[in-house]
């Protein structure tokens, strides 16, 4: 039995989902898991005797202009390392979590190994900032092991940050017990979707990098040929821009803005096609969630997306911003039931063969064992 500390962003987001699901699956296989986060991870929705939660508390002393959250986190990590005698502290994101972990390791008396998983934004956004680059490099170099969620992210990390440390690719996974096709009866009707209408879905945090406007422009072209509805799931900075664009294009009755949703697998289960037109995406966990629910995907030739979608088999890859091609592929797929059915089945098979949770968790377990036994 290993004792593992996990730090991630506990709010909605792919990295938080991966970190929490990984902890829950490891607890199930007998390891002891200690989440060290600012609030309860949103996916931590099951009780398990092997799971513990340590909240990072922040005191608002008037002497501090800004409350020093990162230092409070490092302090909490050090406390947990010593009290629980952690074997591994697995942090998600180099900035700031790996830096906090390194500081915590210095403070703690008990020896712990640090594993850092890179999810993208720390490299592709923060890494471009020269003032942070050295710090990110330090976090990566001082970790005992580093993983990234795609080959593309490894390459970007080496190019942008300039590290020559070995970075292991461990792909993301989904909880297959939650993500499978299971259409709740009457749900289409409740949303006003006709039985003869196709459903296109987009799920994101509506950040600029997600290019939600490209999804809407693509749908605008699709619906001219295919009777269909577009479901937009999620919320974020570009939400109102998207809302206005839908109105401007006269699509109000065909686009459903659902905001943040808990049971996304229900919505995927009524969907025929998923669109992800991002300009930055280290993996695209939402694609995998869709494929697990038998939904083929169209995504951009960006970051890790081509490692997730098997072009012409489980969906299509288009160049960034190529709305015409995205619409052409969508129409081609949606108007041919036999082809659509084959893509759906292949999407599920692809998810099972390459991103099966059991195999991915095993890769993390092997990595932990390697670094524990190495020193
Ligand atoms: O995409 C986001 O804005 C959220 C971010 C996160 O922290 O969850 O996603 C990143 O990590 C996910 C899990 O590994 C990946 O699936 C996303 O592709 C990645 N986002 C970006 O690279 C922009």
């Amino acid at each position: 039995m290993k004792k593992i500390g996990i730090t991630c962003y506990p709010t909605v987001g792919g990295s938080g989902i991966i970190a929490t699901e990984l902890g829950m699956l490891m607890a199930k296989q007998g390891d002891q898991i200690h989440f060290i986060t600012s609030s309860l991870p949103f996916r931590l929705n099951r009780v398990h005797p092997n799971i513990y939660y340590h909240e990072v508390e922040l005191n608002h002393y008037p002497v501090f202009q800004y409350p020093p959250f990162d230092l409070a986190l490092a302090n909490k990590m050090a406390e947990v390392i010593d009290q629980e005698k952690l074997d591994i502290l697995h942090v998600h994101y180099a900035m700031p979590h790996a830096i906090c972990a390194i500081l915590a390791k210095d403070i703690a008396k008990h020896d712990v190994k640090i594993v850092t998983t890179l999810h993208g934004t720390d490299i592709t956004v923060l890494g471009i900032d020269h003032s942070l680059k050295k710090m990110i490099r330090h976090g990566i170099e001082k970790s005992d092991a580093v993983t990234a969620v795609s080959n593309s992210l490894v390459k970007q990390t080496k190019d942008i940050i300039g590290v020559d440390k070995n970075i292991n690719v461990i792909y993301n996974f989904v909880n297959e017990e939650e993500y499978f096709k299971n259409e709740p009866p009457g749900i289409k009707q409740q949303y006003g979707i006709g039985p003869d209408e196709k459903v296109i879905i987009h799920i994101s945090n509506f950040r600029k990098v997600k290019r939600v406007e490209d999804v809407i422009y693509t749908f605008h072209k699709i619906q001219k040929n295919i009777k269909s509805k577009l479901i937009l799931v999620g919320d974020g900075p570009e939400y109102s821009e998207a809302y206005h664009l839908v109105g401007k294009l006269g699509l109000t009755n065909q686009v459903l803005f659902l905001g943040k949703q808990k049971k996304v697998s229900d919505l995927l289960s009524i969907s025929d096609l998923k669109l992800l037109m991002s300009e930055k995406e280290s993996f695209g966990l939402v694609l995998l969630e869709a494929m697990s629910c038998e939904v083929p995907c169209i995504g951009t030739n960006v970051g890790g997306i081509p490692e997730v979608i098997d072009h012409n088999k489980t969906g299509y890859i288009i160049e960034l911003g190529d709305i015409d091609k995205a619409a052409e592929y969508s129409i081609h797929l949606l108007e041919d039931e036999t082809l659509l059915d084959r893509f759906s089945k292949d999407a599920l098979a692809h998810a099972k063969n390459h991103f099966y949770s059991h195999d991915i968790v095993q890769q993390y377990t092997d990595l932990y064992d390697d670094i524990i036994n190495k020193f």
Side-chain angles (χ1 to χ4, degrees), residues 55-315:
E55 186 167 295
V56 183
E57 281 163 52
L58 208 48
N59 291 322
H60 293 269
Y61 297 115
V63 282
F64 295 131
Q65 194 178 0
Y66 304 106
F69 176 78
D70 300 345
L71 296 181
L73 172 61
N75 188 59
K76 188 57 139 188
M77 284 170 162
E79 258 175 49
V80 179
I81 293 170
D82 279 340
Q83 277 164 18
E84 307 294 342
K85 308 269 176 288
L86 295 183
D87 300 300
I88 299 281
L89 178 54
H90 188 167
V91 295
H92 294 259
Y93 277 114
M95 265 303 276
H97 296 155
I99 309 298
C100 300
I102 290 159
L103 180 58
K105 185 175 170 149
D106 278 353
I107 298 168
K109 302 248 172 315
H110 175 76
D111 187 30
V112 70
K113 305 290 177 235
I114 298 171
V115 177
T116 298
T117 291
L118 307 173
H119 285 276
T121 309
D122 43 359
I123 306 303
T124 56
V125 179
L126 299 181
I128 292 165
D129 184 334
H130 282 282
S131 62
L132 297 176
K133 206 184 257 189
K134 273 191 180 167
M135 181 103 81
I136 298 171
R137 190 181 300 139
H138 185 73
I140 292 173
E141 280 169 354
K142 291 283 173 192
S143 296
D144 295 288
V146 180
T147 76
V149 296
S150 62
N151 287 298
S152 153
L153 185 55
V154 173
K155 185 174 180 312
Q156 279 184 303
T157 306
K158 302 218 160 174
D159 292 349
I160 298 170
I161 309 293
V163 281
D164 55 12
K165 184 158 181 110
N166 178 45
I167 301 176
N168 304 269
V169 175
I170 303 188
Y171 283 135
N172 285 334
F173 61 93
V174 282
N175 176 353
E176 297 86 0
E177 285 174 18
E178 197 170 317
Y179 284 90
F180 61 95
K181 192 175 175 73
N182 181 30
E183 187 175 329
I187 180 174
K188 268 190 166 181
Q189 221 180 351
Q190 284 163 28
Y191 280 114
I193 301 168
D196 56 339
E197 282 186 306
K198 293 288 183 228
V199 177
I200 295 124
I201 190 164
H202 169 80
I203 308 165
S204 76
N205 53 16
F206 283 63
R207 283 170 56 207
K208 228 177 174 50
V209 288
K210 304 292 174 181
R211 303 262 291 229
V212 183
E213 71 277 14
D214 285 5
V215 172
I216 295 166
Y217 280 123
T218 302
F219 176 70
H220 184 231
K221 287 178 184 289
I222 298 172
Q223 54 85 43
K224 288 182 180 160
N225 292 270
I226 305 272
K227 225 171 159 236
S228 52
K229 289 247 156 68
L230 172 67
I231 298 184
L232 295 175
V233 182
D235 203 349
E238 296 300 306
Y239 192 90
S240 61
E241 282 293 318
Y243 194 84
H244 281 107
L245 181 60
V246 165
K248 201 176 101 188
L249 296 174
L251 296 173
T252 309
N253 293 330
Q254 283 156 275
V255 180
L256 287 90
F257 282 87
L258 301 189
K260 285 183 186 167
Q261 293 282 327
K262 271 232 175 285
K263 194 99 173 40
V264 173
S265 57
D266 283 358
L267 297 166
L268 285 168
S269 293
I270 57 165
S271 302
D272 299 287
L273 179 65
K274 151 128 201 121
L275 297 179
L276 188 66
M277 319 273 285
S278 311
E279 60 188 42
K280 281 193 170 111
E281 203 69 70
S282 66
F283 184 89
L285 184 61
V286 282
L287 297 170
L288 189 50
E289 292 173 346
M291 292 200 296
S292 248
C293 295
E294 304 181 30
V295 183
C297 305
I298 293 181
T300 40
N301 190 13
V302 157
I305 293 179
E307 294 174 56
V308 185
I309 299 175
D310 190 351
H311 178 69
N312 223 355
K313 198 165 162 49
T314 70

Side-chain angles (χ1 to χ4, degrees), residues 26-67:
M26 286 189 158
K28 218 164 141 186
Q29 70 183 24
D31 294 317
Q32 195 181 91
I33 304 299
H34 295 267
F35 285 99
I36 310 166
T37 45
S38 55
S39 59
L40 199 66
F42 80 104
R43 267 296 176 88
L44 197 54
N45 49 11
R46 275 153 271 171
V47 281
H48 196 287
N50 284 348
I51 296 182
Y52 299 80
Y53 164 57
H54 308 265
E55 186 167 295
V56 183
E57 281 163 52
L58 208 48
N59 291 322
H60 293 269
Y61 297 115
V63 282
F64 295 131
Q65 194 178 0
Y66 304 106

Side-chain angles (χ1 to χ4, degrees), residues 2 4 6 14-15 17-19 21-23 25-26 29 31 88 90-92 115-119 145-150 168-173 283 356-372:
K2 288 184 281 292
I4 303 158
I6 296 180
S15 60
I17 295 174
I18 291 298
E21 291 287 350
L22 181 61
L25 288 170
M26 286 189 158
Q29 70 183 24
D31 294 317
I88 299 281
H90 188 167
V91 295
H92 294 259
V115 177
T116 298
T117 291
L118 307 173
H119 285 276
V146 180
T147 76
V149 296
S150 62
N168 304 269
V169 175
I170 303 188
Y171 283 135
N172 285 334
F173 61 93
F283 184 89
Y356 181 39
S357 65
H358 179 271
D359 296 345
I360 305 293
V361 172
Q362 190 58 50
Q363 290 175 36
Y364 280 112
T365 307
D366 292 345
L367 181 76
Y368 292 170
D369 289 339
D370 264 10
I371 55 171
I372 290 171

